[in-house]
């Protein structure tokens, strides 16, 4: 490539943004060369992926995945119909593609590098070992009555066995439904019931940042109200003394010993569900996004190859948790589909000290690192002295989950990457399955803060939210939608297809609506502005304000609640709650604490409000709609810019709320 000088500021008139080309040093330490020769080849392939998707995806599906039975129809259905399907007639198995085909070729290749919470406790798992363990657990699940098409809930810490659990489900055609192990018993219960899970896989305890988490206890609490769960498989992580329910709970280590080390994978239709993953939306009830087998796996494999420029022998480290989509796609499926080593990190970036990530990267010669900006902000603030490591194998540094500010981007590039690794700011969602707007490492020039250009097959549109019309051309702002289906898009909301249609496909007919605002600059680069719905992003966790409000209202002292997100330097946004209490209660610190505890208990600690304001009433229109905009303005200190408040049923409430907020500060 000609244009590979590390840092070529291209300052366009009126757009004072630096453009960074793939660093020359990254290419020097490359095992061979990037999969594409440069931006031109990307543009050619991109064009093909949009104008001849059948040809493009048909070729890639056969190149990157191993099919038990070849497909005939590359794609069918439409965004209007909400009946998108990929690779019909094709049959394949996810666990075969992630494990067997690599184990047969090279059983001693490392599949998993496990970094335990204590830096000294880790180990590695080879592809051969992974095949044996996945097979045995698959037998165990069958023995517990799990059949093809059944749902299995997984509530586990970040240990290799979590990956084994996912792959064992996939091996027998069961649908995994992972619930992030930070969720409360109530949240777990709701997801187990909604997904109709028969079996739950968990561990005795978890260990994170030196602290123990009573995982099994939370499962026990949740299952008190889940009569349909017939079995719980418990992995022994810490050896804690925990109660086992007779006839329901079995130990992982005892069960796996009973079974042979190979079970043939179940051939699945390409459109058979692979997993459910619950995510937050505008309403209180989380949505079980359903992903299917062939399309999802192809999205994972294709983005791994082109976005992260993965090559044989690479060691990939994604800091995401398997409880979220980032963990599903980029801790588990993407690296394993390409047969490289994936780091499974159980701990936190601050334990035992702020060098933890950098030590892991150095010790394991990590080639690609992928994390959320919230962690980077924390580590940047902790100080450069903690980044004492060379990390000389790093070629790609990924960012995900929220917008990355230019100064954090530059810190990542200069201090972590020593200007020798390319930053890829990857934009995607639980619903998209894999990256949709992202640079390709070694190929795409980047601008700090922009997710850059669309991935193959993704045709972005900027839509005017008022008229609903697409805004053509460059230098435009609006909401982001996609114009044609791509293989890894979620096919439905579990048990609620109408909700799927209404949330994503009926908002702008013929488009998939992301829920994010975005701009397209003068060079066609995309800038994600954040959610335009009632979703807040706290430390990269996606939360619904409606869900938090519903949790608060469960408290018997609360009459009404309104939750808003407020910008925060460290966590991106914080949750702030305004509550009106019922007669007979007096505002107090104790009560505020109780309300916070209520959210922790109902959803999980990560959703806890940072501040709770007890107010006499909420600002409501005459029709009873809460005007959160006013609350946001008050918290931002923009009381002089509240706009028209005469439509409120009681405009005097605004002064009272301002007084409460002032008093609290
Ligand atoms: C992968 C993941 C999705 C929401 C999404 C958007 C935000 C994700 C981003 C980003 C700016 C990026 N988001 N990546 N915003 N730049 N690179 O995070 O999935 O948990 O479903 O969240 O996260 O707002 O709509 P999920």
């Amino acid at each position: 490539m000609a244009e590979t000088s590390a840092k070529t500021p291209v300052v366009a008139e009126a757009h004072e943004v630096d453009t960074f080309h793939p660093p020359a040093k990254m290419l020097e330490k490359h095992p061979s060369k990037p999969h594409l020769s440069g931006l031109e080849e990307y543009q050619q392939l991109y064009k093909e992926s949009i104008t001849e998707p059948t040809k493009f995806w048909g070729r890639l599906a056969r190149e990157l995945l191993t099919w038990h039975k070849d497909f005939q129809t590359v794609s069918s259905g439409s965004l209007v119909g909400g009946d998108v399907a990929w690779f019909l007639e094709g049959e394949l198995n996810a666990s075969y593609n992630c494990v067997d085909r690599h184990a047969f070729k090279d059983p001693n290749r490392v599949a998993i590098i496990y970094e335990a919470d204590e830096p000294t406790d880790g180990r590695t798992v080879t592809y051969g070992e992974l095949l044996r363990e996945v097979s045995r657990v698959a037998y165990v699940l069958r023995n517990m009555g799990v059949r093809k098409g059944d749902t299995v809930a997984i509530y586990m810490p970040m240990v290799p066995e979590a990956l084994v659990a996912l792959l064992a489900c996939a091996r027998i055609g069961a649908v995994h439904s992972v619930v992030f192990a930070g969720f409360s018993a109530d949240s777990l219960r709701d997801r187990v019931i909604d997904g109709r899970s028969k079996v739950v896989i968990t561990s005795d305890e978890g260990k994170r940042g030196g602290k123990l988490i009573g995982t099994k206890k939370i499962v026990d609490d949740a299952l008190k109200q889940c009569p349909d769960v017939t079995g719980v498989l418990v992995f022994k992580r810490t050896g804690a003394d925990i109660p086992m329910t007779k006839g329901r709970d079995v130990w992982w280590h005892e069960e796996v010993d009973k079974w042979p080390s190979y079970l043939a994978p179940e051939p699945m239709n390409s459109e058979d569900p692979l997993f459910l993953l619950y995510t937050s939306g505008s309403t209180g009830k989380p949505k079980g996004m359903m992903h299917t087998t062939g399309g999802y796996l192809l999205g994972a494999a294709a983005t791994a190859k082109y976005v992260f420029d993965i090559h044989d022998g690479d060691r990939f480290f994604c800091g995401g948790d398997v409880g979220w989509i980032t963990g599903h796609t980029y801790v588990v499926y993407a690296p394993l589909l390409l047969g490289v080593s994936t780091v499974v990190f159980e701990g936190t970036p601050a334990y035992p000290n702020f060098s933890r990530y950098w030590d892991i990267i150095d010790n394991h010669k990590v080639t690609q690192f992928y994390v959320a900006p919230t962690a980077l902000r924390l580590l940047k603030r902790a100080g450069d002295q903690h980044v004492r490591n060379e990390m000389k194998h790093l070629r790609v540094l990924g960012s995900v989950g929220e917008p990355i500010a230019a100064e954090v981007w530059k810190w990542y590039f200069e201090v972590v990457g020593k200007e020798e690794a390319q930053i890829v700011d990857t934009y995607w969602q639980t619903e998209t399955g894999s990256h949709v707007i992202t640079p390709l490492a070694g190929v795409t020039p980047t601008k700090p803060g922009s997710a850059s250009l669309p991935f193959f097959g993704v045709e972005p549109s900027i839509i005017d939210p008022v008229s609903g019309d697409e805004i053509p051309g460059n230098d435009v702002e609006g909401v982001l939608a996609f114009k044609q289906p791509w293989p890894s898009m979620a096919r439905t909301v579990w048990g609620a297809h109408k909700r799927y249609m209404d949330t994503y496909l009926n908002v702008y007919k013929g488009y998939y609506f992301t829920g994010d605002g975005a701009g397209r600059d003068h060079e066609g680069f995309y800038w994600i502005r954040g959610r335009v719905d009632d979703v807040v992003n706290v430390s990269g966790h996606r939360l619904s304000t409606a869900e938090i409000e519903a949790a608060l209202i469960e408290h018997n002292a609360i009459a009404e609640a309104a939750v808003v997100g407020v910008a925060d330097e460290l966590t991106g946004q914080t949750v702030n709650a305004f509550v009106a209490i019922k007669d007979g209660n007096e505002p107090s610190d104790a009560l505020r604490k109780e309300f916070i505890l209520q959210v922790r208990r109902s959803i999980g600690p990560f959703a806890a409000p940072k501040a709770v304001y007890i107010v006499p009433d909420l600002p409501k229109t005459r029709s009873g709609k809460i005007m959160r905009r006013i609350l946001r303005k008050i918290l931002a200190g923009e009381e002089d810019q509240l706009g028209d408040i005469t439509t409120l049923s009681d405009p005097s409430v605004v002064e009272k709320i301002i007084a409460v907020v002032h008093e609290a500060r």
Side-chain angles (χ1 to χ4, degrees):
M1 297 211 342
E3 74 290 14
T4 51
S5 62
K7 196 173 170 185
T8 320
V10 179
V11 182
E13 288 161 291
H15 296 275
E16 306 245 341
V17 179
D18 294 350
T19 297
F20 291 73
H21 291 284
K25 288 241 174 83
M26 165 205 182
L27 300 170
E28 276 166 26
K29 54 181 156 178
H30 203 285
S32 57
K33 54 185 183 349
H35 295 292
L36 300 181
S37 60
L39 196 57
E40 236 166 75
E41 194 181 357
Y42 156 75
Q43 280 156 345
Q44 268 166 20
L45 280 173
Y46 176 71
K47 198 167 160 211
E48 186 196 28
S49 76
I50 297 300
T51 56
E52 296 175 275
T54 300
K55 192 170 150 211
F56 179 87
W57 289 117
R59 184 178 68 231
L60 223 59
R62 291 187 179 100
E63 179 204 311
L64 294 174
L65 302 176
T66 304
W67 297 81
H68 180 80
K69 186 175 147 219
D70 196 17
F71 51 87
Q72 262 107 58
T73 318
V74 170
S75 86
S76 67
S78 68
L79 294 178
V80 171
D83 54 351
V84 170
W86 287 84
F87 315 116
L88 281 174
E89 308 95 13
E91 288 180 8
L92 77 171
N93 180 283
S95 113
Y96 178 90
N97 274 275
C98 289
V99 188
D100 302 41
R101 57 181 185 157
H102 313 304
F104 295 156
K105 228 166 61 191
D106 184 3
N108 296 323
R109 187 186 287 189
V110 172
I112 297 173
I113 299 168
Y114 169 43
E115 265 285 325
D117 192 44
E118 296 300 332
T120 47
D121 289 351
R123 67 190 154 91
T124 57
V125 180
T126 66
Y127 274 96
E129 290 166 339
L130 187 59
L131 176 57
R132 292 192 283 278
E133 190 72 359
V134 168
S135 287
R136 290 197 170 107
V137 174
Y139 269 117
V140 172
L141 291 175
R142 268 209 186 151
N143 189 48
M144 293 174 82
V146 178
R147 298 287 171 266
K148 183 173 171 171
D150 288 346
T151 312
V152 173
I154 298 175
Y155 188 79
M156 285 189 88
M158 283 292 288
V159 290
E161 288 71 18
L163 282 67
V164 170
L166 268 71
L167 294 164
C169 289
R171 197 163 189 87
I172 59 171
V175 182
H176 58 73
S177 172
V178 181
V179 180
F180 173 57
F183 274 114
S184 67
D186 287 3
S187 291
L188 174 61
R189 173 203 60 204
D190 292 348
R191 287 158 176 75
V192 165
I193 292 171
D194 188 84
R196 268 168 272 145
S197 293
K198 265 182 115 164
V199 160
V200 180
I201 309 179
T202 188
S203 65
D204 52 356
E205 286 185 318
K207 209 161 173 273
R208 228 175 145 257
K211 292 191 195 113
L212 296 171
I213 300 143
T215 318
K216 171 66 161 54
K217 188 179 175 315
I218 296 168
V219 171
D220 284 338
D221 282 350
L223 295 191
K224 281 179 195 151
Q225 292 167 58
C226 301
D228 295 338
V229 171
T230 53
V232 178
L233 180 61
V234 187
F235 171 69
K236 186 183 270 194
R237 167 62 187 91
T238 62
D241 187 17
I242 53 153
M244 296 287 277
T245 302
K246 239 192 138 122
R248 188 193 74 181
D249 304 352
V250 290
W251 284 107
W252 175 299
H253 61 276
E254 286 174 7
E255 295 305 306
V256 291
D257 270 355
K258 299 176 185 164
W259 301 97
S261 56
Y262 180 78
L263 172 70
E266 183 79 34
M268 302 299 287
N269 185 277
S270 177
E271 280 298 315
D272 279 338
L274 177 62
F275 66 86
L276 308 182
L277 184 60
Y278 286 82
T279 191
S280 298
S282 302
T283 62
K285 194 170 144 55
K287 297 173 285 208
M289 302 313 305
M290 194 264 269
H291 281 283
T292 58
T293 311
Y296 171 80
L297 293 177
L298 182 57
T303 52
K305 176 173 174 178
Y306 293 107
V307 175
F308 290 119
D309 186 42
I310 288 183
H311 285 255
D312 257 0
D314 278 350
R315 288 153 310 271
F316 187 87
F317 176 13
C318 166
D321 191 285
V322 76
W324 308 109
I325 192 67
T326 302
H328 277 65
T329 308
Y330 297 105
V331 174
V332 187
Y333 287 107
L336 296 181
L337 281 166
L338 295 202
V340 298
S341 310
T342 184
V343 174
V344 172
F345 178 39
E346 189 178 27
T348 75
Y351 183 81
N353 55 56
F354 289 114
S355 300
R356 188 67 197 273
Y357 276 159
W358 323 131
D359 288 344
I360 295 173
I361 293 172
D362 244 2
N363 292 344
H364 300 296
K365 303 185 169 64
V366 166
T367 43
Q368 289 90 357
F369 177 57
Y370 192 34
V371 80
T374 186
L376 298 174
R377 288 191 295 265
L378 177 84
L379 296 169
K380 178 174 181 284
R381 186 193 268 194
D384 293 1
Q385 72 277 14
H386 299 288
V387 199
R388 53 194 151 133
N389 316 60
E390 273 189 60
M391 302 182 273
K392 56 177 189 279
H393 295 84
L394 275 179
R395 305 201 308 273
V396 187
L397 291 170
S399 172
V400 58
E402 38 173 342
I404 179 166
E407 67 287 0
V408 177
W409 194 105
K410 284 181 184 155
W411 181 81
Y412 203 20
F413 181 63
E414 288 162 11
V415 178
V416 177
K418 333 279 183 217
E419 306 191 17
E420 296 182 1
Q422 181 166 357
I423 309 290
V424 290
D425 175 2
T426 63
Y427 167 77
W428 60 297
Q429 310 174 300
T430 304
E431 295 86 338
T432 69
S434 53
H435 306 144
V436 280
I437 298 184
T438 174
L440 309 185
V443 174
T444 314
T446 51
K447 309 179 192 188
S450 165
S452 81
L453 302 172
F455 189 67
F456 301 126
V458 174
E459 200 181 2
S461 300
I462 301 291
I463 291 183
D464 178 342
V466 180
S467 68
D469 295 335
E470 190 175 338
I471 317 174
N474 286 346
D475 249 332
V476 294
E477 288 283 333
V479 296
L480 180 65
F482 301 135
K483 232 194 281 196
Q484 53 174 292
W486 63 100
S488 69
M489 67 183 289
R491 302 292 192 261
T492 193
V493 173
W494 191 245
H497 195 63
K498 183 171 181 302
R499 191 164 172 211
Y500 171 82
M501 296 302 293
D502 290 347
T503 311
Y504 305 107
L505 305 185
N506 287 342
V507 184
Y508 305 108
K509 268 281 174 211
Y511 297 85
Y512 165 88
F513 175 50
T514 62
D516 283 300
R520 183 166 52 221
D521 73 12
H522 65 298
E523 293 175 318
F525 276 52
Y526 289 88
W527 298 76
I528 309 299
R529 309 286 183 215
R531 305 288 309 191
V532 295
D533 52 13
D534 295 323
V535 169
V536 285
N537 193 323
V538 180
S539 300
H541 293 153
R542 182 172 157 181
L543 303 168
S544 142
T545 54
E547 200 178 339
I548 301 170
E549 287 164 6
L552 284 166
I553 288 166
E554 280 173 38
H555 193 287
N556 55 25
I558 294 183
E560 274 186 311
V563 166
V564 294
V566 175
D568 183 87
E569 210 187 301
L570 200 59
T571 59
Q573 282 184 300
T574 57
V575 171
N576 287 249
F578 291 84
V579 298
I581 51 180
K582 291 183 192 156
D583 286 348
N585 294 284
E586 282 304 314
S588 70
D589 281 344
L591 203 53
R592 270 186 285 271
K593 270 197 197 120
E594 254 187 58
F595 296 160
I596 293 172
L597 194 65
Q598 171 71 27
V599 177
R600 293 175 68 97
R601 228 185 285 126
S602 176
I603 301 176
F606 59 93
K610 190 169 180 198
V612 175
Y613 301 101
I614 300 179
V615 294
D617 200 0
L618 296 171
K620 275 176 288 183
T621 60
R622 275 175 224 126
S623 58
K625 197 170 154 24
I626 297 171
M627 295 193 70
R628 292 179 181 73
R629 180 180 59 82
I630 291 177
L631 299 173
R632 261 184 235 117
K633 288 270 182 203
I634 294 174
L635 287 179
E638 296 168 0
E639 297 139 15
D640 49 339
Q641 300 163 38
L642 293 181
D644 185 12
I645 58 169
T646 54
T647 54
L648 291 178
S649 65
D650 174 13
S652 76
V653 69
V654 172
E655 281 306 316
K656 295 177 193 151
I657 295 172
I658 292 174
V660 170
V661 170
H662 279 196
E663 201 190 322
R665 282 180 174 169

